[in-house]
């Protein structure tokens, strides 16, 4: 009996030594944990990028389609007024009539002087790499956010760990919502604004790599800034941000939002306003998030 008790005690000691409390982990152990989380996220992104690279033609068509639609719209309307071109697009969103049935004489092909062009031998290859990387990032977003939360979760309480799944899903949803607004609203309006400013006798052939890079930056920028409520929830749970603090600095936040919109969006007032308005709404939503999920004062 004595030997069995000693064996059981030694077994308990060995198990306790192998299963450490996350709060008792050393600095090197935290670094090792962080390294593996980063490797998992990078591996997921690589797999997603390989998958997107195999469908790069389809993704390229999706990125170029807003430009082609904007060019055909400008050519068919034959308007050089940028404000009128944007107004026509906005009216088309709320219009219930089928635009394809309005006229049989509309131009159906991109004019030669409006087509995108490749200025370097490996332009299309580098564009495909950029599209594959961003597409891989989008596919790996759930895994990336999950790895971030698994690294942070051990330092949280039990009730705080229960919100991991809602946080991960809401992070992906907010990023997708921001990218969708940029693709379906902001990008078409900005393209129509720029194209309408060009004189009709001008040969305007945009570089394909610069156009695709511009679109990817716009989509990624909108996706990141739409993470504001999620970041606010994290800071509120950590006790670093409160609703009263956000209300106190609201006027400075408004100025910062418009400055940020000026950097991310194309240099036209329409796109900047379309960027700033959702951010202002998200800021107010973030105040509500802080009020609901922030740490309560005892």
């Amino acid at each position: 009996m004595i030997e069995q008790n000693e064996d059981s005690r030694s077994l308990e000691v060995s198990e306790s030594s192998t299963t450490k409390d996350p709060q008792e982990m050393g600095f090197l152990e935290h670094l090792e944990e962080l390294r593996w989380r980063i490797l998992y996220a990078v591996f997921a992104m690589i797999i997603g990028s390989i998958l997107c690279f195999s469908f790069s033609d389809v993704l390229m068509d999706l990125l170029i389609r807003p430009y082609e639609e904007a060019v055909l719209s400008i050519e068919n309307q034959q308007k050089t007024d940028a404000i009128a071109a944007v107004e026509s697009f906005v009216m088309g969103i709320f219009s219930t009539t089928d635009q394809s049935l309005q006229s049989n004489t509309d131009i159906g092909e991109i004019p030669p002087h409006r087509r995108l062009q490749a200025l370097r031998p490996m332009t299309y290859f580098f564009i495909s790499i950029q599209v594959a990387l961003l597409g891989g990032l989008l596919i790996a977003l759930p895994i990336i956010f999950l790895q971030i939360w698994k690294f942070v979760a051990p330092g949280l309480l039990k009730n705080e760990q229960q919100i991991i799944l809602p946080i991960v899903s809401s992070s992906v949803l907010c990023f997708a919502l921001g990218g969708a607004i940029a693709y379906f609203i902001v990008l078409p309006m900005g393209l129509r604004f720029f194209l309408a400013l060009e004189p009709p006798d001008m040969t305007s052939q945009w570089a394909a790599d610069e156009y695709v890079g511009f679109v990817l930056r716009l989509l990624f920028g909108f996706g990141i800034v739409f993470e504001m409520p999620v970041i606010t929830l994290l800071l509120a749970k950590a006790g670093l941000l409160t609703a009263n603090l956000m209300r106190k600095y609201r006027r400075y936040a408004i100025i910062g939002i418009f400055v940020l919109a000026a950097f991310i969006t194309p240099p036209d007032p329409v796109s900047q306003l379309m960027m700033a308005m959702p951010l202002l709404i998200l800021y107010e939503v973030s105040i509500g998030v802080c009020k609901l999920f922030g740490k309560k004062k005892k």
Side-chain angles (χ1 to χ4, degrees):
M1 293 293 293
I2 296 176
E3 293 179 356
Q4 292 179 354
N5 292 333
E6 291 179 353
D7 293 339
S8 62
R9 289 177 181 175
S10 61
L11 181 61
E12 290 177 358
V13 170
S14 62
E15 290 179 352
S16 62
S17 62
T18 56
T19 58
K20 296 182 178 180
D21 188 357
Q23 296 181 354
E24 297 179 357
M25 293 174 61
F27 178 73
L28 295 179
E29 292 174 324
H30 278 293
L31 288 181
E32 181 68 14
E33 177 72 13
L34 178 61
R35 184 175 73 89
W36 281 106
R37 297 302 174 191
I38 293 176
L39 288 177
Y40 290 145
V42 172
F43 181 74
M45 183 177 174
I46 292 175
I47 297 299
S49 298
I50 294 174
L51 181 63
C52 291
F53 187 79
S54 61
F55 295 96
S56 59
D57 293 338
V58 178
L59 297 176
M60 196 75 67
D61 292 338
L62 291 176
L63 295 177
I64 296 177
R65 184 177 301 172
Y67 173 78
E68 294 178 346
E69 293 177 352
V71 169
L72 293 177
S73 176
I74 296 297
E75 293 293 330
N76 290 324
Q77 294 175 10
Q78 295 182 353
K79 295 179 179 179
T80 57
D81 188 0
I83 303 300
V86 174
E87 182 181 358
S88 176
F89 171 75
V90 175
M91 296 299 295
I93 296 177
F94 299 99
S95 177
T96 58
T97 59
D98 189 358
Q99 299 292 334
S100 62
L101 299 177
Q102 290 182 358
S103 176
N104 295 326
T105 61
D106 289 347
I107 300 175
E109 295 183 357
I110 304 297
H113 67 280
R114 291 286 195 181
R115 294 175 183 173
L116 297 175
Q117 60 178 342
L119 302 179
R120 288 181 290 271
M122 300 180 66
T123 297
Y124 186 79
F125 175 76
F126 287 121
I127 292 176
S128 300
I129 294 295
Q130 293 179 9
V131 173
L133 289 176
L134 183 59
L137 176 63
L138 296 179
I139 293 177
L141 270 183
I143 298 177
I144 293 175
F145 286 124
L146 183 61
Q147 297 304 319
I148 294 174
W149 270 103
K150 281 187 175 182
F151 180 74
V152 177
L156 302 177
L157 301 176
K158 290 293 184 181
N159 59 343
E160 295 175 340
Q161 294 179 6
Q162 295 176 356
I163 66 173
I164 290 180
L165 184 59
I167 285 294
V168 172
S169 57
S170 61
S171 300
V172 178
L173 180 62
C174 290
F175 193 96
L177 179 61
I181 291 177
Y183 181 82
F184 291 104
I185 299 179
V186 178
L187 181 61
M189 292 178 61
L191 292 176
R192 283 165 172 78
F193 183 86
F194 291 133
L195 291 171
L197 290 176
E198 298 175 352
D201 57 346
M202 176 180 177
T203 301
S204 175
Q205 291 182 317
W206 294 1
D209 53 348
E210 292 185 2
Y211 167 76
V212 173
F214 160 74
V215 174
L216 294 180
R217 288 192 301 270
L218 187 67
L219 297 179
F220 187 76
F222 265 78
I224 290 297
V225 297
F226 267 69
E227 297 290 339
M228 184 188 299
V230 180
I231 297 174
T232 302
L233 177 58
L234 291 175
L235 296 177
K237 279 295 183 180
L240 301 176
L241 191 63
T242 62
N244 292 331
L245 185 63
M246 294 189 70
R247 294 191 190 99
K248 180 180 179 181
Y249 292 98
R250 181 187 277 120
R251 63 180 66 182
Y252 303 104
I254 293 175
I255 298 175
I257 285 173
F258 278 96
V259 172
L260 179 63
F263 277 102
I264 296 179
T265 59
D268 66 277
V270 177
S271 300
Q272 293 175 12
L273 186 62
M274 293 299 298
M275 175 71 169
M277 292 305 295
L279 282 178
L280 293 175
I281 297 175
L282 288 174
Y283 189 83
E284 298 299 326
V285 172
S286 300
I287 294 178
V289 170
C290 273
K291 187 175 181 181
L292 289 176
F293 299 101
K295 288 188 174 182
K296 308 296 181 182
K297 293 184 179 180
K298 296 182 180 180

